PDB file of all heavy atoms in Angstrom:
ATOM      1  N   ILE A   1       0.863  -1.189   0.000  1.00 96.00           N
ATOM      2  CA  ILE A   1       0.000   0.000   0.000  1.00 96.00           C
ATOM      3  C   ILE A   1       0.895   1.233   0.000  1.00 96.00           C
ATOM      4  O   ILE A   1       1.605   1.496   0.963  1.00 96.00           O
ATOM      5  CB  ILE A   1      -0.935   0.010   1.228  1.00 96.00           C
ATOM      6  CG1 ILE A   1      -1.855  -1.207   1.209  1.00 96.00           C
ATOM      7  CG2 ILE A   1      -1.772   1.296   1.238  1.00 96.00           C
ATOM      8  CD1 ILE A   1      -2.758  -1.315   2.439  1.00 96.00           C
ATOM      9  N   ILE A   2       0.880   1.965  -1.081  1.00 97.00           N
ATOM     10  CA  ILE A   2       1.707   3.165  -1.204  1.00 97.00           C
ATOM     11  C   ILE A   2       1.060   4.350  -0.501  1.00 97.00           C
ATOM     12  O   ILE A   2       1.723   5.137   0.182  1.00 97.00           O
ATOM     13  CB  ILE A   2       1.939   3.499  -2.697  1.00 97.00           C
ATOM     14  CG1 ILE A   2       2.672   2.352  -3.390  1.00 97.00           C
ATOM     15  CG2 ILE A   2       2.720   4.806  -2.855  1.00 97.00           C
ATOM     16  CD1 ILE A   2       2.786   2.530  -4.897  1.00 97.00           C
ATOM     17  N   SER A   3      -0.259   4.475  -0.661  1.00 97.00           N
ATOM     18  CA  SER A   3      -1.002   5.579  -0.045  1.00 97.00           C
ATOM     19  C   SER A   3      -2.415   5.094   0.251  1.00 97.00           C
ATOM     20  O   SER A   3      -3.201   4.839  -0.666  1.00 97.00           O
ATOM     21  CB  SER A   3      -1.040   6.793  -0.978  1.00 97.00           C
ATOM     22  OG  SER A   3      -1.851   7.826  -0.446  1.00 97.00           O
ATOM     23  N   ARG A   4      -2.724   4.938   1.530  1.00 97.00           N
ATOM     24  CA  ARG A   4      -4.029   4.401   1.913  1.00 97.00           C
ATOM     25  C   ARG A   4      -5.079   5.499   1.903  1.00 97.00           C
ATOM     26  O   ARG A   4      -4.907   6.558   2.515  1.00 97.00           O
ATOM     27  CB  ARG A   4      -3.960   3.753   3.290  1.00 97.00           C
ATOM     28  CG  ARG A   4      -5.232   3.016   3.689  1.00 97.00           C
ATOM     29  CD  ARG A   4      -5.069   2.307   5.028  1.00 97.00           C
ATOM     30  NE  ARG A   4      -6.222   1.497   5.340  1.00 97.00           N
ATOM     31  CZ  ARG A   4      -7.341   1.953   5.888  1.00 97.00           C
ATOM     32  NH1 ARG A   4      -7.433   3.251   6.211  1.00 97.00           N
ATOM     33  NH2 ARG A   4      -8.364   1.159   6.145  1.00 97.00           N
ATOM     34  N   ALA A   5      -6.189   5.263   1.195  1.00 97.00           N
ATOM     35  CA  ALA A   5      -7.287   6.229   1.133  1.00 97.00           C
ATOM     36  C   ALA A   5      -8.194   6.071   2.335  1.00 97.00           C
ATOM     37  O   ALA A   5      -8.456   4.949   2.787  1.00 97.00           O
ATOM     38  CB  ALA A   5      -8.088   6.027  -0.150  1.00 97.00           C
ATOM     39  N   ALA A   6      -8.672   7.193   2.868  1.00 97.00           N
ATOM     40  CA  ALA A   6      -9.645   7.155   3.959  1.00 97.00           C
ATOM     41  C   ALA A   6     -10.892   6.420   3.473  1.00 97.00           C
ATOM     42  O   ALA A   6     -11.291   6.553   2.310  1.00 97.00           O
ATOM     43  CB  ALA A   6     -10.004   8.571   4.406  1.00 97.00           C
ATOM     44  N   PRO A   7     -11.512   5.636   4.335  1.00 96.00           N
ATOM     45  CA  PRO A   7     -12.641   4.795   3.893  1.00 96.00           C
ATOM     46  C   PRO A   7     -13.924   5.561   3.609  1.00 96.00           C
ATOM     47  O   PRO A   7     -14.822   5.051   2.949  1.00 96.00           O
ATOM     48  CB  PRO A   7     -12.816   3.827   5.066  1.00 96.00           C
ATOM     49  CG  PRO A   7     -12.282   4.570   6.254  1.00 96.00           C
ATOM     50  CD  PRO A   7     -11.149   5.390   5.741  1.00 96.00           C
ATOM     51  N   ASP A   8     -14.024   6.800   4.109  1.00 96.00           N
ATOM     52  CA  ASP A   8     -15.286   7.548   3.983  1.00 96.00           C
ATOM     53  C   ASP A   8     -15.299   8.397   2.706  1.00 96.00           C
ATOM     54  O   ASP A   8     -15.366   9.624   2.749  1.00 96.00           O
ATOM     55  CB  ASP A   8     -15.514   8.429   5.209  1.00 96.00           C
ATOM     56  CG  ASP A   8     -14.339   9.356   5.486  1.00 96.00           C
ATOM     57  OD1 ASP A   8     -13.222   9.054   5.040  1.00 96.00           O
ATOM     58  OD2 ASP A   8     -14.558  10.398   6.143  1.00 96.00           O
ATOM     59  N   LEU A   9     -15.252   7.733   1.556  1.00 97.00           N
ATOM     60  CA  LEU A   9     -15.229   8.458   0.286  1.00 97.00           C
ATOM     61  C   LEU A   9     -16.517   9.265   0.108  1.00 97.00           C
ATOM     62  O   LEU A   9     -17.623   8.711   0.200  1.00 97.00           O
ATOM     63  CB  LEU A   9     -15.090   7.483  -0.884  1.00 97.00           C
ATOM     64  CG  LEU A   9     -13.750   6.749  -1.046  1.00 97.00           C
ATOM     65  CD1 LEU A   9     -13.861   5.731  -2.174  1.00 97.00           C
ATOM     66  CD2 LEU A   9     -12.627   7.727  -1.320  1.00 97.00           C
ATOM     67  N   PRO A  10     -16.408  10.571  -0.181  1.00 96.00           N
ATOM     68  CA  PRO A  10     -17.614  11.381  -0.385  1.00 96.00           C
ATOM     69  C   PRO A  10     -18.238  11.166  -1.761  1.00 96.00           C
ATOM     70  O   PRO A  10     -19.337  11.662  -2.029  1.00 96.00           O
ATOM     71  CB  PRO A  10     -17.098  12.813  -0.243  1.00 96.00           C
ATOM     72  CG  PRO A  10     -15.666  12.739  -0.657  1.00 96.00           C
ATOM     73  CD  PRO A  10     -15.178  11.390  -0.221  1.00 96.00           C
ATOM     74  N   TYR A  11     -17.529  10.456  -2.630  1.00 97.00           N
ATOM     75  CA  TYR A  11     -18.042  10.195  -3.979  1.00 97.00           C
ATOM     76  C   TYR A  11     -17.664   8.775  -4.362  1.00 97.00           C
ATOM     77  O   TYR A  11     -16.528   8.347  -4.167  1.00 97.00           O
ATOM     78  CB  TYR A  11     -17.450  11.188  -4.983  1.00 97.00           C
ATOM     79  CG  TYR A  11     -17.913  10.956  -6.408  1.00 97.00           C
ATOM     80  CD1 TYR A  11     -19.105  11.485  -6.860  1.00 97.00           C
ATOM     81  CD2 TYR A  11     -17.154  10.181  -7.282  1.00 97.00           C
ATOM     82  CE1 TYR A  11     -19.535  11.256  -8.157  1.00 97.00           C
ATOM     83  CE2 TYR A  11     -17.574   9.943  -8.584  1.00 97.00           C
ATOM     84  CZ  TYR A  11     -18.772  10.481  -9.014  1.00 97.00           C
ATOM     85  OH  TYR A  11     -19.212  10.252 -10.286  1.00 97.00           O
ATOM     86  N   GLN A  12     -18.609   8.033  -4.934  1.00 97.00           N
ATOM     87  CA  GLN A  12     -18.360   6.650  -5.319  1.00 97.00           C
ATOM     88  C   GLN A  12     -17.706   6.620  -6.695  1.00 97.00           C
ATOM     89  O   GLN A  12     -18.382   6.682  -7.732  1.00 97.00           O
ATOM     90  CB  GLN A  12     -19.675   5.856  -5.341  1.00 97.00           C
ATOM     91  CG  GLN A  12     -19.476   4.360  -5.554  1.00 97.00           C
ATOM     92  CD  GLN A  12     -20.789   3.599  -5.556  1.00 97.00           C
ATOM     93  OE1 GLN A  12     -21.847   4.174  -5.310  1.00 97.00           O
ATOM     94  NE2 GLN A  12     -20.720   2.305  -5.834  1.00 97.00           N
ATOM     95  N   VAL A  13     -16.406   6.517  -6.701  1.00 98.00           N
ATOM     96  CA  VAL A  13     -15.650   6.581  -7.950  1.00 98.00           C
ATOM     97  C   VAL A  13     -16.043   5.466  -8.901  1.00 98.00           C
ATOM     98  O   VAL A  13     -16.104   5.665 -10.127  1.00 98.00           O
ATOM     99  CB  VAL A  13     -14.134   6.535  -7.663  1.00 98.00           C
ATOM    100  CG1 VAL A  13     -13.339   6.449  -8.957  1.00 98.00           C
ATOM    101  CG2 VAL A  13     -13.714   7.746  -6.857  1.00 98.00           C
ATOM    102  N   ASN A  14     -16.320   4.272  -8.390  1.00 97.00           N
ATOM    103  CA  ASN A  14     -16.652   3.141  -9.257  1.00 97.00           C
ATOM    104  C   ASN A  14     -18.147   3.020  -9.524  1.00 97.00           C
ATOM    105  O   ASN A  14     -18.620   2.002 -10.021  1.00 97.00           O
ATOM    106  CB  ASN A  14     -16.117   1.829  -8.678  1.00 97.00           C
ATOM    107  CG  ASN A  14     -16.702   1.523  -7.304  1.00 97.00           C
ATOM    108  OD1 ASN A  14     -17.726   2.068  -6.914  1.00 97.00           O
ATOM    109  ND2 ASN A  14     -16.036   0.647  -6.562  1.00 97.00           N
ATOM    110  N   GLY A  15     -18.909   4.074  -9.199  1.00 96.00           N
ATOM    111  CA  GLY A  15     -20.350   4.041  -9.385  1.00 96.00           C
ATOM    112  C   GLY A  15     -20.776   4.330 -10.820  1.00 96.00           C
ATOM    113  O   GLY A  15     -19.970   4.648 -11.691  1.00 96.00           O
ATOM    114  N   ASP A  16     -22.075   4.246 -11.037  1.00 96.00           N
ATOM    115  CA  ASP A  16     -22.683   4.492 -12.348  1.00 96.00           C
ATOM    116  C   ASP A  16     -22.885   5.989 -12.518  1.00 96.00           C
ATOM    117  O   ASP A  16     -23.680   6.606 -11.807  1.00 96.00           O
ATOM    118  CB  ASP A  16     -24.017   3.752 -12.448  1.00 96.00           C
ATOM    119  CG  ASP A  16     -24.644   3.859 -13.829  1.00 96.00           C
ATOM    120  OD1 ASP A  16     -24.157   4.664 -14.651  1.00 96.00           O
ATOM    121  OD2 ASP A  16     -25.632   3.144 -14.083  1.00 96.00           O
ATOM    122  N   VAL A  17     -22.173   6.583 -13.485  1.00 96.00           N
ATOM    123  CA  VAL A  17     -22.266   8.025 -13.710  1.00 96.00           C
ATOM    124  C   VAL A  17     -23.687   8.441 -14.046  1.00 96.00           C
ATOM    125  O   VAL A  17     -24.152   9.514 -13.635  1.00 96.00           O
ATOM    126  CB  VAL A  17     -21.310   8.445 -14.851  1.00 96.00           C
ATOM    127  CG1 VAL A  17     -21.486   9.911 -15.204  1.00 96.00           C
ATOM    128  CG2 VAL A  17     -19.865   8.166 -14.452  1.00 96.00           C
ATOM    129  N   ALA A  18     -24.394   7.591 -14.775  1.00 95.00           N
ATOM    130  CA  ALA A  18     -25.762   7.924 -15.195  1.00 95.00           C
ATOM    131  C   ALA A  18     -26.708   8.068 -14.011  1.00 95.00           C
ATOM    132  O   ALA A  18     -27.750   8.721 -14.111  1.00 95.00           O
ATOM    133  CB  ALA A  18     -26.284   6.860 -16.155  1.00 95.00           C
ATOM    134  N   LYS A  19     -26.341   7.484 -12.873  1.00 95.00           N
ATOM    135  CA  LYS A  19     -27.204   7.548 -11.694  1.00 95.00           C
ATOM    136  C   LYS A  19     -26.733   8.595 -10.687  1.00 95.00           C
ATOM    137  O   LYS A  19     -27.224   8.652  -9.569  1.00 95.00           O
ATOM    138  CB  LYS A  19     -27.256   6.170 -11.028  1.00 95.00           C
ATOM    139  CG  LYS A  19     -27.896   5.094 -11.906  1.00 95.00           C
ATOM    140  CD  LYS A  19     -27.913   3.746 -11.203  1.00 95.00           C
ATOM    141  CE  LYS A  19     -28.538   2.670 -12.087  1.00 95.00           C
ATOM    142  NZ  LYS A  19     -28.532   1.337 -11.422  1.00 95.00           N
ATOM    143  N   THR A  20     -25.770   9.401 -11.085  1.00 95.00           N
ATOM    144  CA  THR A  20     -25.213  10.427 -10.199  1.00 95.00           C
ATOM    145  C   THR A  20     -25.550  11.800 -10.744  1.00 95.00           C
ATOM    146  O   THR A  20     -25.345  12.069 -11.933  1.00 95.00           O
ATOM    147  CB  THR A  20     -23.679  10.285 -10.095  1.00 95.00           C
ATOM    148  OG1 THR A  20     -23.355   8.939  -9.749  1.00 95.00           O
ATOM    149  CG2 THR A  20     -23.129  11.231  -9.041  1.00 95.00           C
ATOM    150  N   GLY A  21     -26.066  12.676  -9.903  1.00 95.00           N
ATOM    151  CA  GLY A  21     -26.422  14.018 -10.328  1.00 95.00           C
ATOM    152  C   GLY A  21     -25.198  14.841 -10.690  1.00 95.00           C
ATOM    153  O   GLY A  21     -24.107  14.636 -10.133  1.00 95.00           O
ATOM    154  N   LEU A  22     -25.378  15.778 -11.620  1.00 97.00           N
ATOM    155  CA  LEU A  22     -24.253  16.601 -12.073  1.00 97.00           C
ATOM    156  C   LEU A  22     -23.658  17.419 -10.935  1.00 97.00           C
ATOM    157  O   LEU A  22     -22.433  17.571 -10.845  1.00 97.00           O
ATOM    158  CB  LEU A  22     -24.701  17.531 -13.204  1.00 97.00           C
ATOM    159  CG  LEU A  22     -23.630  18.473 -13.768  1.00 97.00           C
ATOM    160  CD1 LEU A  22     -22.445  17.692 -14.299  1.00 97.00           C
ATOM    161  CD2 LEU A  22     -24.222  19.366 -14.848  1.00 97.00           C
ATOM    162  N   GLU A  23     -24.486  17.947 -10.056  1.00 96.00           N
ATOM    163  CA  GLU A  23     -23.964  18.753  -8.960  1.00 96.00           C
ATOM    164  C   GLU A  23     -23.050  17.935  -8.065  1.00 96.00           C
ATOM    165  O   GLU A  23     -22.009  18.414  -7.614  1.00 96.00           O
ATOM    166  CB  GLU A  23     -25.116  19.352  -8.141  1.00 96.00           C
ATOM    167  CG  GLU A  23     -25.906  20.426  -8.880  1.00 96.00           C
ATOM    168  CD  GLU A  23     -25.018  21.568  -9.359  1.00 96.00           C
ATOM    169  OE1 GLU A  23     -24.294  22.146  -8.517  1.00 96.00           O
ATOM    170  OE2 GLU A  23     -25.043  21.880 -10.561  1.00 96.00           O
ATOM    171  N   SER A  24     -23.433  16.703  -7.801  1.00 97.00           N
ATOM    172  CA  SER A  24     -22.583  15.827  -6.985  1.00 97.00           C
ATOM    173  C   SER A  24     -21.264  15.539  -7.699  1.00 97.00           C
ATOM    174  O   SER A  24     -20.185  15.536  -7.074  1.00 97.00           O
ATOM    175  CB  SER A  24     -23.305  14.515  -6.691  1.00 97.00           C
ATOM    176  OG  SER A  24     -22.478  13.623  -5.972  1.00 97.00           O
ATOM    177  N   ILE A  25     -21.329  15.319  -9.006  1.00 97.00           N
ATOM    178  CA  ILE A  25     -20.120  15.066  -9.787  1.00 97.00           C
ATOM    179  C   ILE A  25     -19.175  16.258  -9.720  1.00 97.00           C
ATOM    180  O   ILE A  25     -17.962  16.104  -9.524  1.00 97.00           O
ATOM    181  CB  ILE A  25     -20.492  14.748 -11.250  1.00 97.00           C
ATOM    182  CG1 ILE A  25     -21.154  13.373 -11.332  1.00 97.00           C
ATOM    183  CG2 ILE A  25     -19.258  14.811 -12.150  1.00 97.00           C
ATOM    184  CD1 ILE A  25     -21.715  13.045 -12.707  1.00 97.00           C
ATOM    185  N   LEU A  26     -19.732  17.467  -9.851  1.00 97.00           N
ATOM    186  CA  LEU A  26     -18.891  18.669  -9.866  1.00 97.00           C
ATOM    187  C   LEU A  26     -18.450  19.076  -8.460  1.00 97.00           C
ATOM    188  O   LEU A  26     -17.345  19.582  -8.281  1.00 97.00           O
ATOM    189  CB  LEU A  26     -19.641  19.818 -10.536  1.00 97.00           C
ATOM    190  CG  LEU A  26     -19.999  19.590 -12.016  1.00 97.00           C
ATOM    191  CD1 LEU A  26     -20.716  20.804 -12.577  1.00 97.00           C
ATOM    192  CD2 LEU A  26     -18.762  19.257 -12.842  1.00 97.00           C
ATOM    193  N   ASP A  27     -19.292  18.860  -7.456  1.00 97.00           N
ATOM    194  CA  ASP A  27     -18.910  19.184  -6.080  1.00 97.00           C
ATOM    195  C   ASP A  27     -17.739  18.323  -5.615  1.00 97.00           C
ATOM    196  O   ASP A  27     -16.937  18.750  -4.778  1.00 97.00           O
ATOM    197  CB  ASP A  27     -20.099  18.978  -5.130  1.00 97.00           C
ATOM    198  CG  ASP A  27     -21.149  20.068  -5.268  1.00 97.00           C
ATOM    199  OD1 ASP A  27     -20.835  21.127  -5.837  1.00 97.00           O
ATOM    200  OD2 ASP A  27     -22.292  19.848  -4.813  1.00 97.00           O
ATOM    201  N   ASN A  28     -17.668  17.108  -6.143  1.00 97.00           N
ATOM    202  CA  ASN A  28     -16.604  16.165  -5.763  1.00 97.00           C
ATOM    203  C   ASN A  28     -15.663  15.916  -6.939  1.00 97.00           C
ATOM    204  O   ASN A  28     -15.264  14.790  -7.216  1.00 97.00           O
ATOM    205  CB  ASN A  28     -17.231  14.843  -5.305  1.00 97.00           C
ATOM    206  CG  ASN A  28     -18.089  14.995  -4.073  1.00 97.00           C
ATOM    207  OD1 ASN A  28     -17.593  15.119  -2.954  1.00 97.00           O
ATOM    208  ND2 ASN A  28     -19.408  14.999  -4.272  1.00 97.00           N
ATOM    209  N   ARG A  29     -15.291  17.001  -7.605  1.00 97.00           N
ATOM    210  CA  ARG A  29     -14.566  16.888  -8.862  1.00 97.00           C
ATOM    211  C   ARG A  29     -13.229  16.165  -8.712  1.00 97.00           C
ATOM    212  O   ARG A  29     -12.821  15.407  -9.602  1.00 97.00           O
ATOM    213  CB  ARG A  29     -14.324  18.284  -9.458  1.00 97.00           C
ATOM    214  CG  ARG A  29     -14.002  18.293 -10.932  1.00 97.00           C
ATOM    215  CD  ARG A  29     -15.052  17.557 -11.736  1.00 97.00           C
ATOM    216  NE  ARG A  29     -15.073  17.917 -13.150  1.00 97.00           N
ATOM    217  CZ  ARG A  29     -15.687  17.208 -14.059  1.00 97.00           C
ATOM    218  NH1 ARG A  29     -16.310  16.067 -13.720  1.00 97.00           N
ATOM    219  NH2 ARG A  29     -15.706  17.600 -15.324  1.00 97.00           N
ATOM    220  N   THR A  30     -12.527  16.379  -7.617  1.00 96.00           N
ATOM    221  CA  THR A  30     -11.212  15.742  -7.471  1.00 96.00           C
ATOM    222  C   THR A  30     -11.333  14.219  -7.432  1.00 96.00           C
ATOM    223  O   THR A  30     -10.386  13.509  -7.795  1.00 96.00           O
ATOM    224  CB  THR A  30     -10.499  16.231  -6.193  1.00 96.00           C
ATOM    225  OG1 THR A  30     -11.385  16.099  -5.081  1.00 96.00           O
ATOM    226  CG2 THR A  30     -10.100  17.685  -6.327  1.00 96.00           C
ATOM    227  N   LEU A  31     -12.492  13.722  -7.010  1.00 98.00           N
ATOM    228  CA  LEU A  31     -12.717  12.280  -7.023  1.00 98.00           C
ATOM    229  C   LEU A  31     -13.452  11.828  -8.275  1.00 98.00           C
ATOM    230  O   LEU A  31     -13.150  10.776  -8.841  1.00 98.00           O
ATOM    231  CB  LEU A  31     -13.502  11.853  -5.779  1.00 98.00           C
ATOM    232  CG  LEU A  31     -12.710  11.791  -4.470  1.00 98.00           C
ATOM    233  CD1 LEU A  31     -13.628  11.443  -3.320  1.00 98.00           C
ATOM    234  CD2 LEU A  31     -11.582  10.768  -4.572  1.00 98.00           C
ATOM    235  N   SER A  32     -14.437  12.607  -8.733  1.00 98.00           N
ATOM    236  CA  SER A  32     -15.227  12.166  -9.887  1.00 98.00           C
ATOM    237  C   SER A  32     -14.377  12.045 -11.148  1.00 98.00           C
ATOM    238  O   SER A  32     -14.670  11.231 -12.024  1.00 98.00           O
ATOM    239  CB  SER A  32     -16.408  13.115 -10.127  1.00 98.00           C
ATOM    240  OG  SER A  32     -15.983  14.389 -10.562  1.00 98.00           O
ATOM    241  N   LEU A  33     -13.298  12.822 -11.230  1.00 98.00           N
ATOM    242  CA  LEU A  33     -12.411  12.720 -12.386  1.00 98.00           C
ATOM    243  C   LEU A  33     -11.653  11.392 -12.424  1.00 98.00           C
ATOM    244  O   LEU A  33     -11.062  11.042 -13.443  1.00 98.00           O
ATOM    245  CB  LEU A  33     -11.413  13.881 -12.395  1.00 98.00           C
ATOM    246  CG  LEU A  33     -11.978  15.239 -12.840  1.00 98.00           C
ATOM    247  CD1 LEU A  33     -10.986  16.349 -12.566  1.00 98.00           C
ATOM    248  CD2 LEU A  33     -12.363  15.209 -14.312  1.00 98.00           C
ATOM    249  N   ARG A  34     -11.684  10.654 -11.323  1.00 98.00           N
ATOM    250  CA  ARG A  34     -11.046   9.338 -11.315  1.00 98.00           C
ATOM    251  C   ARG A  34     -11.912   8.283 -11.993  1.00 98.00           C
ATOM    252  O   ARG A  34     -11.419   7.225 -12.365  1.00 98.00           O
ATOM    253  CB  ARG A  34     -10.755   8.894  -9.883  1.00 98.00           C
ATOM    254  CG  ARG A  34      -9.817   9.819  -9.128  1.00 98.00           C
ATOM    255  CD  ARG A  34      -9.499   9.245  -7.758  1.00 98.00           C
ATOM    256  NE  ARG A  34      -8.646  10.131  -6.981  1.00 98.00           N
ATOM    257  CZ  ARG A  34      -8.067   9.793  -5.840  1.00 98.00           C
ATOM    258  NH1 ARG A  34      -8.242   8.558  -5.353  1.00 98.00           N
ATOM    259  NH2 ARG A  34      -7.307  10.654  -5.184  1.00 98.00           N
TER     260      ARG A  34
END
């Protein structure tokens, strides 16, 4: 493990984009871009 991520992710990176609102995507941009 090079860098352990905190477990409380505010955005589900592996989730379905079609089921995520645009505001949530943009509010969590540093994660949604992953």
Side-chain angles (χ1 to χ4, degrees):
I1 299 177
I2 299 173
S3 175
R4 187 176 186 277
D8 54 337
L9 291 174
Y11 179 84
Q12 188 179 355
V13 174
N14 60 18
D16 185 349
V17 174
K19 296 180 181 179
T20 308
L22 179 58
E23 291 303 306
S24 177
I25 289 173
L26 297 181
D27 286 343
N28 297 284
R29 199 54 159 165
T30 51
L31 284 176
S32 68
L33 284 169
R34 299 184 182 190

